[in-house]
Every structure is written in structure tokens, then in C-alpha cells.
Amino acid sequence: MYELMAKIRAFEEQANELYITRKMPGLTHLYSGEEAVAVGVCQALRRDDYITSTHRGHGHCLAKGARVDRMFCELLGKAEGYCRGKGGSMHIADPDSGNLGANAIVGGSTGIAAGAALSAKMRGTDQVAVCFFGEGALGQGILYEAMNMASLWKLPVIYVCENNLYNEYTHYRETTAGEILARPRAFGIPAEEVDGQDVRLVLAAARRAVARARRGEGPSFLLCNTYRFYGHHVGDVDRSYYRSKEEEEWWKRERDPLRILRDWMVQAGLAEEAEFERIHRAVQEEILAGVAYALEAPYPDPREVSQHVYA
Amino acid sequence: MREITMAQAIREALAEEMRRDPRVFLLGEDVAEAGHPFKVLTGLVDEFGRERVIDTPISEAGFTGIAVGAAMTGMRPVVDIMFGDFLTLAMDQIVNQAAKIHYMSGGKLKVPLVVRTTLGATRRSAAQHSQSLHAWFSHIPGLKVALPATPYDAKGLLKTAIRDDNPVLFFEDKMMYQVKGPVPEEEYTIPFGVADIKRPGRHVTLVATSSMVYVALDAARILEQEGIEAEVVDPRTTLPLDVETLVASARKTGRVIVIDEGYRGYGVTAEIAAVIAEEAFYDLEAPVRRLGAMDVPVPFSPVLEDQTVPTPEQVAAVARELCGRA
């Protein structure tokens, strides 16, 4: 789990680099700081379980099993990207690893995840579907419509709310009335709050939710408290008008999910510091190789522009 | 050949497809025991059970989204949006999700989804239950849009829609459910993008969709008395659009009127008129004319509402003008 979190962190650092050096078209929304949520949840899943992701989705894709090189290809709009360069950073889908796609409409996939769960139930598989969304999606009505039906129909879907405190540039307390957990509970959906920076706690909670879903007992809701180390997107550099430097530094210093797991493992005698250095080196190598591959990779044939409009 | 109603034809198409393919299921508001307010679905729940004919809460966005997710993962859902006006509630799921997922995923994911809904005014249902919004969806690449005018077309097109791997918007005119027509007992489907010449003629082409096919046919009967032979062409699907047949008819008659029940402004009629003008300009004897719903919210009072939809008399009057008989 540490290695996967380190890989996501390194991937995002590199994505930021690609943006700053203008090698990447468009923009991207970095997941750094939130790694424990994606990794903890996806670790509780099988490869054939489904996830739906968000505009801040690289971490979910990697945690569910996507490859670094093909991810970078997609970020750069290359033919070997997961979506042949047609999706880009915000729309990476990889059905082979159960990833039904990242969604650039906030809350846009909350119905899709429930639909995948309904489909699993109708087909008689014991697959579950995880719906990742940020706390900003709490403002979208479709989330509540979907949770209502998921609960009524006992669908094997897990709603994972990543509360990184900010709806883009606005603190969630300015946008979110009442208690977050009271919302799923109003639909009869068991809900728990988790320290989203501690991957072990996320994993334990996700396992409970997955087991419940597989038993046919219906949906669950996990509220994971977390923090994005970077801005809303890579271009959001001057952030002082909505959050302080002190706050950012405190989270990076005290609440880094990699640091939290590393400290625990060292204290528990499960690993030595040198091992982490080795992991970081290996991960960095994979990331650099992936970027180099993607930078060299060919763009799609321009004629592909009108392919895939219809199946 | 036996004659059945449009509602029966639609019900038969659904039942046959559900028997043929266990992945097909229905969901929407009041689709099970209630059988839909227009009784189109009566009896389906008895045969297929509540597992496959699923009553939903009044949550168009939510259950349309659920259908999209189910379609992406191996099922073939048919969603019922009770009135076409309520499509507005599910817009994101249809336009941003269903229509784009195949493309955005580079062809990896498919959304074999059918959204059945209604169009058409003149039921005295006022502005939020009377709109014909098919032009909106005909504007979106990735969707397909079908508008059957007869029981025969409804059954064949709906079966094609269910077997299609793409999201299809299927618009049924709510005034036409009791219209009867010949429908064979044996299996058939109707391909998308193939217009049907509902009546041949040589002096003027009336391109008409859905209920406007009947308006055009009535107009053609009026014109016949006056020695004007009108050809009535029904595109049957506006996306894909059978440009070839429309243009061929325009070339033959040299005069075209396009009639559709959607709002006239920026509507289906504008697209078809433009296509014909582009492709058949030098064969035209006169500019292509358009008749659509008035660009006003549909009013309640019968005396007001009846003015908003094209009538056979209006179509005939325009045809006379085009043919120099006015």
C-alpha cells in the first residue's frame, strides 16, 4: 500500500511538472495528499469490482490497477492512452481494471455507480461498485436520488466522499448545511467517518462496506476526511485568498498519508527507513520511464477524430 | 394484416425484446402495475416481474444515471421518461454522460440505452407537459433519435433501438397511442436512418415527422382535390438523418415543406431545410419552407393551444403558394 501511495504521489508530481513545462495540454487536478483514500478503498476491492471516479481521478485509476505509461499517454493526448487521447486527465476509463471512468461533472457518476451495482445484482455476480466523489458533490441532487434508490433496492454500492475541505475555492462549511453523515443516514444507509490520511483505517472501513455489499445488505457511505496538497487544479497557484500557507504546511507536515503509514510501520518494526528509500527510488524510476515513453509516443491519427462517436 | 394500436405495437416490441434478451429491462415512474399513465406498458410486469419492470421514485436524473451505469456494465435498460418535458431533469445524464462515454473512453465503453418518452401538444396539458424536445437531442453527437409515426414504424424502430449499442431517444406522440395500423405478426425491425415515403407525389414534398405525418397526409388529400400531388416523406429518425431520400424527393418535386412539432426556431425543420438547400439547391423551384410549433410556451386554453401546432390547412396553403396556385 505504501508503494502504491508513493506511486500516486510521484505520478502527480510529474503531472505537475508536465503542466509547468507546458508539455501537457489542458490542465489537471492533482490528488497529492489524498492517496490513502484511493489506495485504502481499492485495496478492499477485486479487479472485477467497479469504480467511478472524479475530475481528480488519477489516484483512483492507479489504485484500481491502471498502468503509469498509458496514464501519461492519456494525459498527453497520445494514441496509446487509455482513451486513445480522447478523454484526457478528467475522463480516464479502464474497463479492464473495473474503472468505469472519471467524470468531469461533479456528482455526475453517482447514478452510474448505482447502475453498475444494479447491473451486478441483476446479473447475479457479487461485484460491488465504489463511487468516489468530493464533498462538492454533496451539493448535487443526483447524489441523493441515487442514494435513495440504492438503499431501496439494496444495491452493492459504496459512496466514498473525499472531503478535502474545499469545493474548488470555497470552504465546504460555506456550502454544506447540517451534518454530512446525517444525509446518507436519512436514507437508511450506514455511514461512517474515517481519517482519510490513515490508509489502514480507510482499508478497514472499506472492507466492512465491501463485505456488507457482497452479503447483499446494500449500500454504505464512507466520509473520508482528507486534504489536497495542491490547489484545485495545477494552475491554482495563488491560493492565499481561500486558504492559508500555515494550513497547507500543517497538513503536509502532520497529516501526510505516506508519512503516517511509514511512521507506523517503522514503529511496529515492520520496515526500516532504508526500505522506503528503495521503494521511492523504484517508483520514481517507473514514473520517469512512463513519462519518457509517453512523451515519445505517437499522437492519434487525425482521422480518429470522428471514430467512436457511435459504437 | 391485423391492425393494432401504437400502444400495443410498443408493448409488443418491448415484450418480444425482453423475451429474446434477458439483459433488457424497464425502469421508470409507474411502469409496473400502473403500466404507465397512458397504459402503454400494461401487463408487462405480469410476464416479466418486478425485477425487470422496475418502478422508480420520481427521480429522472437518478434513474437515468442508474440506467447509464447498468448499460455500461452488461445490461440493456429501457428508461421511461413519462413526459418529454421531464427530459430536462435528466439532461446531464443523457447529454454529458450517455452520449459521450463511448467517445471519451476511446471506444472502450458502450451505453446501449433506450430512453422512451413523449412529444406533442393538443392534450390541454399546458406548458410543462406538452413540449416536443427531440431537436435538442438531435443536436448531440453520440445520441440517436427516433420518432415513429405509425404502429408499424413504432414496433420496428423500437426493436432496433433496443438492439442498438448506442443511447437512443425514442419519442412517442402522446396523441397517437390509440392510432391503429397494420403490423405483421412475424418478427421485423426497421433500420435507423432510412426515411419512409408515406405517400408518393410529384409536385411538392412534405417532409413530416411523428404526428405531423398525419397532418401532411391530410394536407395531401386536400391538395389532391386541387390537382397537386404531394409526396409525404417521413425521416423516422432525425439522428441519423436519411439525407439521401430527402434530397432525392426534393430533386424530384422541386418544392419542399418541412413540418415538425418541435419549436420552429432552431428546430428540426431548420436542419432539414438547410440540408436540402445545400444538396438540392439547383433543383429547387422555390425556397424550402418550414412549419413548426409556435415559439411560445404551450398554452392551456384550447383556443390558444390549437394555434400553436401546424394544421393540414396551413400546410396546404403553403403548398399552394409554392406551386403558384395561391
Side-chain angles (χ1 to χ4, degrees), chain B residues 33-141:
Chain B
E33 282 77 9
H36 188 277
F38 298 125
K39 303 300 168 199
V40 178
L41 307 174
T42 305
L44 289 177
V45 72
D46 303 324
E47 180 175 352
F48 300 102
R50 295 189 64 123
E51 299 282 297
R52 290 180 71 194
V53 184
I54 303 172
D55 275 338
T56 65
I58 301 172
S59 307
E60 285 82 2
F63 66 73
T64 304
I66 285 175
V68 173
M72 290 164 68
T73 53
M75 301 299 287
R76 303 186 83 86
V78 179
V79 168
D80 192 298
I81 300 280
M82 195 183 283
F83 283 82
D85 312 73
F86 310 160
L87 286 165
T88 54
L89 296 153
M91 243 8 211
D92 171 62
Q93 295 303 310
I94 297 170
V95 174
N96 287 322
Q97 312 295 342
K100 293 177 175 52
I101 282 167
H102 185 66
Y103 192 82
M104 290 196 307
S105 70
K108 281 198 186 145
L109 292 163
K110 285 190 278 199
V111 187
L113 164 73
V114 178
V115 178
R116 280 186 49 248
T117 192
T118 65
L119 56 68
T122 67
R123 271 186 85 97
R124 321 314 185 198
S125 305
Q128 295 174 337
H129 284 67
S130 303
Q131 293 165 99
S132 302
L133 300 178
H134 48 288
W136 290 8
F137 303 93
S138 306
H139 184 63
I140 303 297

Side-chain angles (χ1 to χ4, degrees), chain B residues 312-325:
Chain B
E313 292 71 26
Q314 288 169 341
V315 176
V318 176
R320 279 184 213 112
E321 268 180 52
L322 288 185
C323 297
R325 307 279 190 87

Side-chain angles (χ1 to χ4, degrees), chain B residues 278-317:
Chain B
E278 281 171 352
E279 306 271 329
F281 183 78
Y282 295 105
D283 297 291
L284 292 176
E285 305 286 341
V288 181
R289 296 287 298 271
R290 300 187 284 139
L291 292 169
M294 282 176 73
D295 292 317
V296 298
V298 179
F300 165 70
S301 174
V303 72
L304 300 177
E305 188 188 24
D306 286 345
Q307 295 178 64
T308 63
V309 179
T311 62
E313 292 71 26
Q314 288 169 341
V315 176

Side-chain angles (χ1 to χ4, degrees), chain A residues 144-172:
Chain A
Y144 304 100
E145 296 186 10
M147 285 201 297
N148 182 45
M149 283 178 271
S151 182
L152 283 168
W153 303 341
K154 288 198 183 319
L155 301 182
V157 57
I158 299 158
Y159 293 98
V160 178
C161 177
E162 303 177 313
N163 183 3
N164 67 16
L165 304 183
Y166 295 92
N167 299 188
E168 298 201 358
Y169 317 103
T170 302
H171 197 280
Y172 86 98

Side-chain angles (χ1 to χ4, degrees), chain A residues 82 103 119 145 305 310-311, chain B residues 62 73 97 103-104 108 143 166:
Chain A
Y82 274 106
N103 213 298
S119 154
E145 296 186 10
V305 67
Y310 292 99
Chain B
T73 53
Q97 312 295 342
Y103 192 82
M104 290 196 307
K108 281 198 186 145
L143 299 179
N166 300 284

Side-chain angles (χ1 to χ4, degrees), chain A residues 105-128:
Chain A
I105 304 292
V106 170
S109 80
T110 52
I112 292 172
L118 173 67
S119 154
K121 192 174 173 180
M122 293 181 93
R123 288 180 286 115
T125 73
D126 65 347
Q127 291 162 287
V128 306

Side-chain angles (χ1 to χ4, degrees), chain B:
Chain B
M1 198 185 294
R2 67 176 179 150
E3 297 219 336
I4 60 173
T5 64
M6 185 100 153
Q8 284 171 312
I10 289 163
R11 184 157 59 239
E12 270 192 11
L14 292 168
E16 286 175 20
E17 291 306 296
M18 289 176 81
R19 276 177 218 132
R20 190 185 62 82
D21 186 345
R23 299 171 300 173
V24 178
F25 70 101
L26 311 182
L27 78 169
E29 295 153 11
D30 297 323
V31 296
E33 282 77 9
H36 188 277
F38 298 125
K39 303 300 168 199
V40 178
L41 307 174
T42 305
L44 289 177
V45 72
D46 303 324
E47 180 175 352
F48 300 102
R50 295 189 64 123
E51 299 282 297
R52 290 180 71 194
V53 184
I54 303 172
D55 275 338
T56 65
I58 301 172
S59 307
E60 285 82 2
F63 66 73
T64 304
I66 285 175
V68 173
M72 290 164 68
T73 53
M75 301 299 287
R76 303 186 83 86
V78 179
V79 168
D80 192 298
I81 300 280
M82 195 183 283
F83 283 82
D85 312 73
F86 310 160
L87 286 165
T88 54
L89 296 153
M91 243 8 211
D92 171 62
Q93 295 303 310
I94 297 170
V95 174
N96 287 322
Q97 312 295 342
K100 293 177 175 52
I101 282 167
H102 185 66
Y103 192 82
M104 290 196 307
S105 70
K108 281 198 186 145
L109 292 163
K110 285 190 278 199
V111 187
L113 164 73
V114 178
V115 178
R116 280 186 49 248
T117 192
T118 65
L119 56 68
T122 67
R123 271 186 85 97
R124 321 314 185 198
S125 305
Q128 295 174 337
H129 284 67
S130 303
Q131 293 165 99
S132 302
L133 300 178
H134 48 288
W136 290 8
F137 303 93
S138 306
H139 184 63
I140 303 297
L143 299 179
K144 295 186 179 183
V145 180
L147 305 97
T150 65
Y152 176 85
D153 288 354
K155 185 172 179 187
L157 290 169
L158 184 52
K159 287 168 81 91
T160 300
I162 292 169
R163 297 178 196 189
D164 199 293
D165 277 343
N166 300 284
V168 179
L169 277 288
F170 196 86
F171 285 88
E172 301 159 13
D173 188 292
K174 49 190 168 296
M175 295 298 279
M176 290 182 355
Y177 283 124
Q178 296 315 313
V179 167
K180 279 193 166 184
V183 175
E185 305 265 0
E186 59 272 18
E187 155 87 14
Y188 70 96
T189 57
I190 297 173
F192 283 1
V194 179
D196 184 43
I197 297 177
K198 292 285 194 268
R199 175 196 165 113
R202 57 196 174 103
H203 296 126
V204 60
T205 296
L206 308 178
V207 179
T209 58
S210 187
S211 61
M212 292 299 108
V213 168
Y214 296 94
V215 169
L217 288 170
D218 285 347
R221 280 188 279 274
I222 296 170
L223 294 165
E224 191 178 25
Q225 313 286 322
E226 304 163 21
I228 298 174
E229 289 175 35
E231 176 150 292
V232 177
V233 185
D234 172 9
R236 296 198 290 203
T237 54
T238 48
L239 185 62
L241 182 66
D242 182 358
V243 173
E244 205 178 312
T245 302
L246 299 178
V247 169
S249 179
R251 288 204 171 114
K252 182 169 85 173
T253 64
R255 300 174 180 87
V256 182
I257 306 170
V258 192
I259 312 134
D260 177 78
E261 205 180 331
Y263 294 124
R264 185 173 180 277
Y266 295 89
V268 159
T269 57
E271 175 67 17
I272 292 175
V275 164
I276 290 172
E278 281 171 352
E279 306 271 329
F281 183 78
Y282 295 105
D283 297 291
L284 292 176
E285 305 286 341
V288 181
R289 296 287 298 271
R290 300 187 284 139
L291 292 169
M294 282 176 73
D295 292 317
V296 298
V298 179
F300 165 70
S301 174
V303 72
L304 300 177
E305 188 188 24
D306 286 345
Q307 295 178 64
T308 63
V309 179
T311 62
E313 292 71 26
Q314 288 169 341
V315 176
V318 176
R320 279 184 213 112
E321 268 180 52
L322 288 185
C323 297
R325 307 279 190 87

